[in-house]
Amino acid sequence: MSRQAGRGTESKKMYWYLPFISPSASMHLMNSELFTLTYGALVTQLCKDYENDEDVNKQLDKMGYNIGVRLIEDFLARSNVGRCHDFRETADVIAKIAFKMYLGITPSITNWSPGGDEFSLILENNPLVDFVELPDNHSSLIYSNLLCGVLRGALEMVSQHLPFQ
Amino acid sequence: MSRPPGRKQENRKISRELFVLTYGALVAQLCKDYEKDEDVNICLDRMGYSIGIRLIDDFLARSAVKKCRSYSETADMIAQVAFKMYLGVTASVSCSSAAGNEFSLILDKNPLVDFVEELPAERASLCYCNLLCGVIRGALEMVHLAAEVTFLQDRLKGDAVTEIGITFLRKAEDRKHKRNK
């Protein structure tokens, strides 16, 4: 499902420094606070619906997955990135373009495994938790677990089956 | 202003789609939880209210607007500034009563329904975007303006446009305006 950017011999380079919205897409920008608070309402509702944190985590992951499989198309259309040639490129695209576009942050990429098939994204400023403190009785809740599902779903659609934690 | 000067104020802009899809997940979850559309609508409104009473703080701090001196100014502020800030769209405003306390906000484009084609047949009375009504109501209440906010027309239900009706219930108090927090 990758889009050909038509960049010829330059197609290997990652134009992450270019504006993340492709010229043909219109600018649909908003401040993130309404999203943050709506996400909070979602998590709160799930905590009402499910007794234990593990079930909430699973549900968030599942919802995220369903979102990711749709979001990837929007991402590819807006960002105009070409096909990633290796996993490192994928990591860069996720961190520098996708996160920037949908959450307004750029996590750092660290902790590459020796085999080059595992890495960590460190979010210094996670907008989803802007107003949040986890109460004591929800210590196992992975509040932002939706994001893991989104990444998993999106990557699955571009044929990289990967587990995300 | 309500924010202490030390608080960091990031002007973080994001593309809407993740929000829109998350909102859809929220509505879907509520539809699992409640059988009747009416209950889902009430729940969305209530959630929106809780969001609105917090969001107003952020809005006032970011927009640095002066106090509105009339209902009309308030309606304009919501439609042109707040909607733009938090949804990336503006609405057009018209006054729909001689008394000057009823307004219509018409949304040509409602971003919340970007990925929704139509309501399922068994959910015909669902006010999909009812969260917005609650947000506006909650926000207004925090600046001492009681209002009723409802969807008058909804494109998802086949109407020509999406129209939000705001009815201000009491005269705006114009004394010293405390923003607690």
Side-chain angles (χ1 to χ4, degrees):
Chain A
M1 210 187 262
S2 63
R3 306 280 168 136
Q4 288 315 311
R7 288 198 280 268
T9 54
E10 297 260 295
S11 58
K12 271 192 174 241
K13 272 208 216 133
M14 266 257 308
Y15 295 102
W16 55 265
Y17 49 84
L18 289 176
F20 56 75
I21 293 182
S22 75
S24 56
S26 36
M27 305 276 284
H28 297 302
L29 296 181
M30 54 183 265
N31 272 49
S32 56
E33 288 75 22
L34 179 55
F35 176 31
T36 300
L37 291 165
T38 302
Y39 185 74
L42 173 63
V43 178
T44 304
Q45 186 64 26
L46 290 178
C47 288
K48 280 192 201 152
D49 292 345
Y50 297 96
E51 268 204 32
N52 66 63
D53 292 348
E54 207 32 62
D55 290 335
V56 179
N57 295 340
K58 281 203 192 107
Q59 187 65 8
L60 280 171
D61 182 80
K62 203 168 72 169
M63 286 177 162
Y65 179 86
N66 290 333
I67 289 174
V69 302
R70 287 176 181 76
L71 197 63
I72 182 67
E73 267 205 50
D74 180 81
F75 173 71
L76 292 171
R78 277 181 203 290
S79 64
N80 220 21
V81 294
R83 190 167 196 76
C84 292
H85 293 89
D86 57 41
F87 200 34
R88 281 187 184 262
E89 254 190 78
T90 306
D92 270 340
V93 170
I94 293 172
K96 291 171 181 152
I97 306 187
F99 265 81
K100 183 72 184 165
M101 190 183 295
Y102 297 116
L103 287 171
I105 54 170
T106 312
S108 47
I109 304 170
T110 62
N111 285 349
W112 279 101
S113 65
D117 59 354
E118 276 180 43
F119 66 93
S120 293
L121 288 169
I122 310 282
L123 280 67
E124 261 164 56
N125 247 327
N126 179 2
L128 290 185
V129 308
D130 266 346
F131 304 94
V132 178
E133 264 178 40
L134 277 189
D136 289 333
N137 57 331
H138 285 288
S139 50
S140 321
L141 182 66
I142 306 175
Y143 186 86
S144 308
N145 213 30
L146 193 99
L147 295 184
C148 292
V150 173
L151 288 166
R152 191 167 57 86
L155 286 168
E156 199 167 294
M157 296 304 281
V158 290
S159 308
Q160 300 193 32
H161 295 254
L162 303 158
F164 270 87
Q165 293 167 25
Chain B
M1 289 292 130
S2 50
R3 292 243 188 272
R7 192 193 189 273
K8 69 169 157 58
Q9 191 92 125
E10 296 190 38
N11 202 18
R12 196 187 283 133
K13 294 278 190 202
I14 59 174
S15 199
R16 293 198 285 246
E17 292 70 25
L18 179 54
F19 167 51
V20 169
L21 288 166
T22 302
Y23 183 76
L26 173 64
V27 178
Q29 185 64 26
L30 291 178
C31 287
K32 274 191 208 161
D33 293 344
Y34 299 100
E35 266 200 40
K36 302 208 294 214
D37 293 349
E38 206 35 58
D39 293 334
V40 178
N41 295 341
I42 289 171
C43 197
L44 280 171
D45 182 79
R46 218 178 41 207
M47 286 178 164
Y49 179 84
S50 300
I51 289 175
I53 60 177
R54 290 173 178 76
L55 199 63
I56 182 69
D57 230 13
D58 182 83
F59 174 71
L60 293 170
R62 279 184 199 287
S63 60
V65 293
K66 298 209 183 49
K67 192 166 147 46
C68 292
R69 286 161 305 175
S70 66
Y71 289 142
S72 171
E73 251 186 77
T74 308
D76 280 337
M77 189 67 61
I78 296 171
Q80 308 285 316
V81 185
F83 265 72
K84 183 73 185 166
M85 192 181 289
Y86 297 115
L87 285 174
V89 291
T90 51
S92 53
V93 183
S94 58
C95 183
S96 48
S97 77
N101 69 329
E102 282 178 37
F103 295 86
S104 279
L105 271 59
I106 308 257
L107 279 167
D108 268 338
K109 195 163 162 26
N110 179 0
L112 286 184
V113 308
D114 266 351
F115 295 87
V116 181
E117 276 178 19
E118 54 180 17
L119 293 177
E122 65 272 17
R123 289 287 178 188
S125 322
L126 185 66
C127 287
Y128 185 85
C129 305
N130 219 30
L131 192 101
L132 292 184
C133 294
V135 173
I136 297 172
R137 189 168 61 86
L140 285 173
E141 195 166 298
M142 292 305 279
V143 290
H144 309 288
L145 290 171
E148 267 169 22
V149 189
T150 51
F151 271 91
L152 298 175
Q153 292 192 75
D154 194 345
R155 261 226 181 99
L156 268 189
K157 292 182 178 156
D159 296 319
V161 291
T162 299
E163 183 183 351
I164 298 177
I166 303 179
T167 303
F168 293 97
L169 298 176
R170 285 194 305 264
K171 188 151 179 29
E173 303 163 28
D174 30 291
R175 41 319 45 221
K176 74 293 250 298
H177 196 108
K178 57 174 176 35
R179 309 226 173 98
N180 38 13
K181 201 98 38 38

